[in-house]
Amino acid sequence: MERSRWVTVAVFLALWGLGVPRVLSGQSPESEPEEQAEEEPLLTDPWQILQTTPGVLVDRINVDGDRGCGCSAKQPFVEAGAAVGQGFPGVDEAIFSGNLMERFLSPGNVFTLAEETQGSAAGSGAWARPDEFLRRNGTNEWRASAFTLGGDGSEAASSVEDVRGFGAEVGGPLRKDRAWIWGGLGLHDFERTVLGGQRESQSVTGGRLKLNAQVVESFAIALAASRGGSEGDNAGAAPDRAPETTWDEDGGETIWAATGTVIHNSNFYTSASVGSEDRRREDDPQATGPARIGADGVARGGWFAWEDERRQRHARLSTALFGYTGTLGHEVTLGAGWLRRDEERALAPPGPLTIAGSVAGLSRPFALAELWRAGEAGARTETLGLWAQDVLTYGPWTGHFGVQADRQDLGLSGGPRPWTLAPRLQLHRFLDHAHKQVWVSLSRSASSLGPRAAWHVDVDAAVAAPFVFEDLDGDLALDPGETARALPGRGFDPLRPGVDPDAVDARLRPEITDEAVLGAEAELTDNFQVGLRAVWRRTRDLLEERLLVRDLSTGEVFAAAAGDWIPAARLTGNLPDGTPYDVPVWDLRPGLLWTGGSLLTNGDRRRDDLGLELTWKKLFSNEWNLDGKILWRDSDYDLGPDFRRFDDPTNLLGGGDDEGEPVEETASGRPYETPRFAAARWSFETNGMVRLGQGRYVLLASVKGRQGQPLPYFRQIARERAGVAGVQVTDRPDSFRAEDLFTVDAGLERHVWVGDASFSLAVQALNLLDERTVLERELDLGTGRAGLADEALSSRTLRVEVRFWWN
């Protein structure tokens, strides 16, 4: 490790002093061309642009309806939240998949901020511009670039991350002014050591290709494709896992899309696009056989195998008309889109899963066990969208008036196919010769229900039958002579085997969000801009699952209401800070038994969100630039009377049953993996760059921070008639939080020019201050690991990156 660092320093110092190649090229430091910001044309005829500007393509001035054609007046720097045509991607939106592909390729993308998760290989860096890279269009000059990087963390840290990466891109004309091609490829490898000493690795590879062709003066096409793969060893390594419960990961994605645009005349054009996305992921555990979770909270033995496949096909057709009514300009967009998703998930259990008797309600030597049945869940859903929008311009005023209608097929035979209507209004005005602008927008959007309803009632999905037994010898296995008693289990009804006990409301509909945005932007000087945006959102018709129970005397099945619950127990103990807790646990009254199912329906909960965003940007001048933002948010859950009537009175973990600050829950989908929770009220970041030594050196710095995420501590409880549940032992999910997160990153680059080529060597330091912030803790207070750190910020990481450009 030390030797590699000294070699790195020696190479960097050698390159630092190189001045000869720049002198030989005949280029002085002052002769380097300044970077120019690319301005969008203002009210320019697209026909004229197409025929008079070589290398500018139709797909560059047309983004298929949702953002106009690039020919209208300058838009505000923050758009309204709900644009017409949303959910039906075009070429660049489809290829910018945001999954495997974003981890590599762009040279700017490898200089990342210190990642909040130890396992992240890359991500959006402080100076990364992945959208520019992915939306690359051809030019009439061949250009190429490449990069390579490597780095490692501190051996003394609790998390060590070694990174290696390579990427290259090339583009140019196949036929001048007619056809252009661009392609890129890359790979990224990393290894990390998690808290507890286990080590895992991952490799991501892939590439992209894009072809633009101006077939005739009025017709252009764009074709794009990407393919990537991911492999990992010992994935899932964590302090609460023995090595045999980790898995090998294998995944990949293939995406293609095509767009054709016809300009009929100077006031009318049409664009159509089609595309396909195929993604898969398979996790193969290191061991098979019975799984067990001991009193220390550590999983041992075999573990669950997981497979996920997603296929998406989409198409869209849009047309735009330009004209004037007197002095009032119009840009009318009409469009239609179709989207179909086929999604499948398969879960294969390792065998019986046994948990030590730390579950509340079980006195030692009792243990909780589950018998699992392997299963697959599949769904085919479709969405049809229609939209219309008129962008009106009158002097300094611009108005967006639009509406979108969507119909969602939830993949249920004879099931609901809800329609939603989402209007959009935005008014924008330039002040003081475009140096200041203000805008207000009102919009409505509908959530995508996706496969949730179909998966909810899939009879072939994996299920578990739980039971408790006397573990007299403490081996976490049911032996002869040890008595057992069955408990109700989710997805399994012992009185109706082979029939899914779940149900979906015949009137199920998407969640609806109304949004109001007020924004302003001012150019205080020629080089410095500030912006302020206020956003209010209200989401209603939130989805909820109501417990379905059976009256054992009549056989009637219905949703459990408030009168069907009785006090059963109290959970007591101390929180990690020593504060005592005492929370009630409720069970169904005698004569009722949970069927194992729930009713998926829309409830009367309501969520309100308020956010403020302050941004600043100092454009590049006097050899430096700066940008950043501060975000603040406040949210509130309002629980309606119907929700209170049908809610389980036990305060369940992640149940969305707490008034006040809501938390965002992200579950992995695998059994017995505690979900993550997020609800940071504030965050900030600022990024800067300064050129030194007449442009030969570049110094980069970034500072980021946010509030610590919630830590909703809980206990597991085994209830005789309502099954096993996780009980939150704090009044609010955000009563405890992880530490606030602050990171500082810095980089120093040395640039050398040789004719048409340029090189740079950069040394980058992520988490420069070597903060060891704890990000996640063990939330289950019934285990021996209660409150201990599960995940911490990656230690200081040094990276060396070499880049090459040719034009």
Side-chain angles (χ1 to χ4, degrees):
M1 183 73 68
E2 292 296 328
R3 180 179 179 183
S4 65
R5 289 180 181 172
W6 281 113
V7 171
T8 297
V9 172
V11 173
F12 181 78
L13 292 176
L15 184 57
W16 189 299
L18 285 177
V20 176
R22 188 177 176 91
V23 175
L24 292 177
S25 70
Q27 181 182 15
S28 65
E30 294 78 15
S31 66
E32 180 190 0
E34 292 288 338
E35 297 179 1
Q36 299 294 329
E38 186 174 339
E39 297 289 340
E40 289 191 19
L42 303 182
L43 294 174
T44 305
D45 185 345
W47 180 275
Q48 180 183 4
I49 294 178
L50 179 65
Q51 299 189 58
T52 62
T53 310
V56 177
L57 309 179
V58 172
D59 77 315
R60 186 165 184 167
I61 61 172
N62 164 50
V63 287
D64 298 330
D66 57 340
R67 291 171 55 192
C69 72
C71 308
S72 60
K74 181 182 178 182
Q75 300 301 311
F77 77 112
V78 177
E79 290 282 353
V84 295
Q86 64 177 351
F88 303 96
V91 169
D92 292 307
E93 290 83 1
I95 301 302
F96 187 21
S97 64
N99 289 334
L100 294 172
M101 309 303 293
E102 70 175 354
R103 299 192 181 188
F104 55 87
L105 289 177
S106 174
N109 201 34
V110 298
F111 184 79
T112 63
L113 298 177
E115 293 298 326
E116 294 185 12
T117 58
Q118 299 170 6
S120 296
S124 298
W127 304 278
R129 303 295 294 276
D131 58 327
E132 291 183 359
F133 180 79
L134 297 167
R135 296 176 182 272
R136 189 86 71 191
N137 287 314
T139 68
N140 279 330
E141 295 180 354
W142 282 97
R143 298 177 180 178
S145 66
F147 76 93
T148 183
L149 84 159
D152 55 52
S154 169
E155 289 285 7
S158 58
S159 172
V160 182
E161 183 174 310
D162 298 327
V163 181
R164 297 172 297 278
F166 166 80
E169 62 169 329
V170 62
L174 295 176
R175 182 180 177 187
K176 188 175 181 180
D177 296 342
R178 286 295 182 182
W180 304 263
I181 193 171
W182 166 84
L185 57 86
L187 61 88
H188 205 115
D189 295 325
F190 78 94
E191 295 182 355
R192 66 163 185 154
T193 302
V194 303
L195 296 174
Q198 295 187 56
R199 195 165 181 84
E200 71 172 6
S201 62
Q202 187 177 43
S203 175
V204 181
T205 61
R208 283 192 177 94
L209 181 69
K210 184 173 182 180
L211 173 67
N212 301 89
Q214 188 171 311
V215 181
V216 295
E217 290 182 341
S218 59
F219 176 59
I221 60 173
L223 305 174
S226 71
R227 187 167 186 173
S230 174
E231 295 181 353
D233 296 324
N234 302 319
D240 60 350
R241 289 187 173 282
E244 68 268 18
T245 64
T246 62
W247 54 84
D248 293 336
E249 177 186 292
D250 182 21
E253 67 178 18
T254 302
I255 304 173
W256 66 265
T259 290
T261 302
V262 178
I263 295 185
H264 305 283
N265 55 52
S266 60
N267 299 315
F268 177 33
Y269 76 84
T270 302
S271 180
S273 65
V274 293
S276 171
E277 303 174 21
D278 293 277
R279 297 187 175 98
R280 64 172 182 83
R281 176 175 174 175
E282 183 177 352
D283 297 337
D284 187 14
Q286 304 286 351
T288 59
R292 59 191 184 279
I293 301 177
D296 57 359
V298 177
R300 298 179 176 86
W303 204 246
F304 295 85
W306 173 265
E307 187 173 354
D308 187 358
E309 292 189 17
R310 305 184 184 188
R311 296 173 296 278
Q312 177 174 295
R313 308 292 183 262
H314 51 85
R316 63 182 292 163
L317 175 68
S318 63
T319 185
L321 300 161
F322 306 89
Y324 286 88
T325 304
T327 58
L328 185 64
H330 297 271
E331 179 183 333
V332 179
T333 301
L334 303 174
W338 169 82
L339 179 68
R340 188 182 73 193
R341 293 188 178 99
D342 293 278
E343 304 185 45
E344 296 179 358
R345 289 181 178 178
L347 183 70
L353 171 64
T354 310
I355 304 172
S358 59
V359 178
L362 303 179
S363 59
R364 294 184 183 276
F366 277 86
L368 172 68
E370 291 179 338
L371 295 177
W372 279 82
R373 184 195 72 190
E376 297 182 5
R380 169 175 288 188
T381 60
E382 292 188 1
T383 302
L384 174 66
L386 304 170
W387 60 87
Q389 178 176 271
D390 190 3
V391 180
L392 298 94
T393 55
Y394 179 78
W397 289 91
T398 302
H400 294 244
F401 301 89
V403 64
Q404 178 167 337
D406 290 335
R407 190 199 72 169
Q408 299 189 43
D409 183 339
L410 307 185
L412 300 174
S413 177
R417 291 175 172 80
W419 279 92
T420 54
L421 194 65
R424 181 195 184 205
L425 166 66
Q426 178 175 324
L427 296 177
H428 170 259
R429 191 181 193 280
F430 285 104
L431 305 172
D432 189 22
H433 302 290
H435 292 290
K436 300 176 183 177
Q437 52 182 319
V438 295
W439 68 94
V440 60
S441 71
L442 302 173
S443 62
R444 172 171 291 177
S445 60
S447 68
S448 173
L449 294 174
R452 178 171 178 178
W455 283 345
H456 188 71
V457 294
D458 195 324
V459 69
D460 295 323
V463 296
F467 63 95
V468 294
F469 67 94
E470 283 186 298
D471 188 20
L472 299 176
D473 54 5
D475 62 352
L476 293 181
L478 179 61
D479 300 318
E482 296 179 339
T483 60
R485 176 168 52 90
L487 295 175
R490 177 172 297 278
F492 174 71
D493 186 349
L495 298 183
R496 299 182 66 193
V499 177
D500 193 300
D502 295 295
V504 173
D505 190 341
R507 298 171 296 175
L508 190 71
R509 58 193 181 277
E511 298 175 351
I512 300 298
T513 298
D514 294 310
E515 178 185 86
V517 181
L518 178 64
E521 184 183 81
E523 191 173 300
L524 302 183
T525 68
D526 290 340
N527 301 316
F528 189 72
Q529 302 172 352
V530 295
L532 181 64
R533 185 178 72 147
V535 180
W536 171 87
R537 292 189 182 100
R538 170 167 290 176
T539 305
R540 54 184 173 84
D541 298 333
L542 296 178
L543 298 184
E544 62 186 53
E545 296 184 20
R546 298 174 180 174
L547 215 64
L548 294 176
V549 299
R550 176 179 287 109
D551 188 321
L552 296 179
S553 61
T554 65
E556 180 187 3
V557 174
F558 54 90
D564 297 320
W565 298 89
I566 60 173
R570 301 194 72 88
L571 291 179
T572 59
N574 292 319
L575 294 165
D577 66 349
T579 304
Y581 63 83
D582 184 353
V583 296
V585 176
W586 298 69
D587 199 355
L588 293 170
R589 60 181 171 84
L592 297 182
L593 188 67
W594 181 32
T595 65
S598 62
L599 173 65
L600 179 63
T601 186
N602 298 96
D604 59 354
R605 286 180 304 163
R606 190 179 70 193
R607 172 171 174 163
D608 291 333
D609 296 277
L610 178 64
L612 296 175
E613 177 187 41
L614 174 65
T615 62
W616 60 90
K617 185 174 184 179
K618 194 270 184 188
L619 303 177
F620 185 79
S621 63
N622 299 322
E623 301 299 322
W624 68 284
N625 69 352
L626 182 72
D627 65 77
K629 63 182 176 181
I630 298 175
L631 298 172
W632 174 87
R633 61 179 287 272
D634 184 47
S635 302
D636 180 69
Y637 258 144
D638 182 15
L639 306 182
D642 278 352
F643 178 83
R644 296 180 185 277
R645 178 188 175 194
F646 292 104
D647 181 40
D648 183 341
T650 304
N651 190 11
L652 302 178
L653 174 69
D657 53 359
D658 293 310
E659 284 196 318
E661 179 75 13
V663 298
E664 303 292 340
E665 179 182 354
T666 304
S668 69
R670 299 181 184 87
Y672 284 94
E673 291 191 14
T674 303
R676 295 175 178 270
F677 300 90
R681 287 178 173 268
W682 55 265
S683 64
F684 71 88
E685 69 172 284
T686 185
N687 313 300
M689 179 189 76
V690 59
R691 288 183 177 178
L692 306 172
Q694 297 179 323
R696 288 172 294 187
Y697 311 106
V698 176
L699 179 64
L700 305 158
S702 176
V703 181
K704 259 189 173 183
R706 64 153 173 81
Q707 185 183 28
Q709 302 294 11
L711 298 174
Y713 291 107
F714 73 98
R715 293 278 304 278
Q716 285 201 89
I717 179 74
R719 300 181 292 184
E720 181 181 357
R721 293 175 290 275
V724 180
V727 182
Q728 184 179 296
V729 297
T730 55
D731 293 336
R732 295 165 52 101
D734 61 343
S735 296
F736 287 81
R737 288 180 176 269
E739 304 170 49
D740 295 340
L741 179 66
F742 298 94
T743 61
V744 178
D745 310 294
L748 184 62
E749 297 183 1
R750 172 67 163 94
H751 292 263
V752 178
W753 290 264
V754 183
D756 293 333
S758 61
F759 303 85
S760 74
L761 178 62
V763 173
Q764 307 159 356
L766 284 68
N767 191 13
L768 185 63
L769 303 182
D770 203 22
E771 296 288 340
R772 310 292 174 85
T773 308
V774 174
L775 303 173
E776 300 287 342
R777 294 186 179 274
E778 176 59 58
L779 301 180
D780 188 349
L781 299 185
T783 71
R785 299 194 64 260
L788 296 182
D790 275 344
E791 191 169 6
L793 183 68
S794 295
S795 60
R796 182 191 299 118
T797 301
L798 300 178
R799 296 181 181 175
V800 176
E801 177 187 354
V802 180
R803 303 187 198 177
F804 162 81
W805 293 271
W806 171 78
N807 183 5

